Structures are given as structure tokens and as C-alpha cells.
Amino acid sequence: TIRLGAARGRVLSDGWGDGALSVNDRSLVLRFDVPTEAGDRRALLTGDIQASAMRRLEPESIRAEIIELPHHGSAHETAVGFVGATGARVVLQSTGASRSGDPRWDSVREGRVWLETSAHASVWAEVRRDGSIRAGAG
């Protein structure tokens, strides 16, 4: 467990000790639980994980209001299902122009705030004390 202010970070996958995983799939996956007046809110940081690591994570452990899109938004069936399973309302995608607006994400993009660094130099999300989530660019 990692503490950051009032938030508690939990390592969901550290990638160590499994030579069967690719380098990207050994990325650190960290979920922050943030206490609020309305109960905990979660933010999921996924690094560069790809399909193998996504399939290894427990479905309940990935539920989050905010997610950093895995592997810069590399779109494939497993990744789309993974993002849908999180239930996230805010998706932050650190990506280049070639992955910006990829239509393969459309089925999970609708109804979410989806912010890309390729369109906005920087993106952010915050959990407020009342439990609301804010997100934006710049």
C-alpha cells in the first residue's frame, strides 16, 4: 500500500517474477482509493499493460471512476472490454496523433469524459471532497 495524502494506493500488478509476460505487461498497475464525503472514489493507473496483464487482473479490483488508458490507447478487443469493465467516467489517454480519436474505442467512449494528450498538451482529473470528479485539459 502507498499513501498519497488521504489516498491509499494499492499495487494490483507489479509484473515481477513472471518471465512469461512481455516487458509492457510487467508495468506497474496501481489503484488509488480516495476517501470522500460520498464514499471512496477510485483512480486506476495502468502503465503500458497489454492483453495478458489485463486478463490477469481481478474484475472487482479494476472498478474505478478514473482510468489512465492502457498502453497509450492501443485499441484491441481485450483493451476495449477492460475499459468497459472499469466503469470509469473519466478516461485519460497519453498518446500521439496516430491513436487520437481511434474509432475502435467508440463503443466505450460514449458517455465518458475522454481526454487525449494529442489533442490537449496535458490532461488531468481530480477527486473532490464531496465525491464529485472533475477533469480537463491544460
Side-chain angles (χ1 to χ4, degrees):
T1 303
I2 299 165
R3 302 284 287 173
L4 184 61
R8 298 172 313 279
R10 180 174 171 226
V11 175
L12 302 182
S13 178
D14 65 7
W16 292 103
D18 195 338
L21 291 175
S22 71
V23 170
N24 283 343
D25 278 324
R26 286 184 260 158
S27 290
L28 181 71
V29 177
L30 185 65
R31 187 191 72 217
F32 279 99
D33 298 320
V34 183
T36 75
E37 295 165 358
D40 281 2
R41 300 295 184 256
R42 291 176 164 181
L44 184 64
L45 306 177
T46 61
D48 277 343
I49 64 168
Q50 296 178 346
S52 293
M54 289 177 209
R55 287 191 289 269
R56 289 171 175 238
L57 293 169
E58 296 293 325
E60 179 52 35
S61 72
I62 65 169
R63 301 281 304 159
E65 286 77 21
I66 302 165
I67 183 174
E68 169 214 7
L69 202 59
H71 196 62
H72 307 284
S74 179
H76 50 81
E77 185 177 336
T78 302
V80 170
F82 180 84
V83 171
T86 68
R89 295 180 286 173
V90 175
V91 176
L92 304 176
Q93 181 179 1
S94 174
T95 192
S98 67
R99 290 189 177 156
S100 183
D102 190 328
R104 294 175 290 178
W105 287 110
D106 287 352
S107 66
V108 291
R109 188 188 315 269
E110 188 172 332
R112 291 178 167 84
V113 174
W114 195 288
L115 299 166
E116 301 173 343
T117 58
S118 61
H120 316 282
S122 62
V123 298
W124 56 268
E126 71 177 357
V127 176
R128 304 192 48 125
R129 287 185 182 154
D130 66 3
S132 62
I133 308 284
R134 286 189 39 207

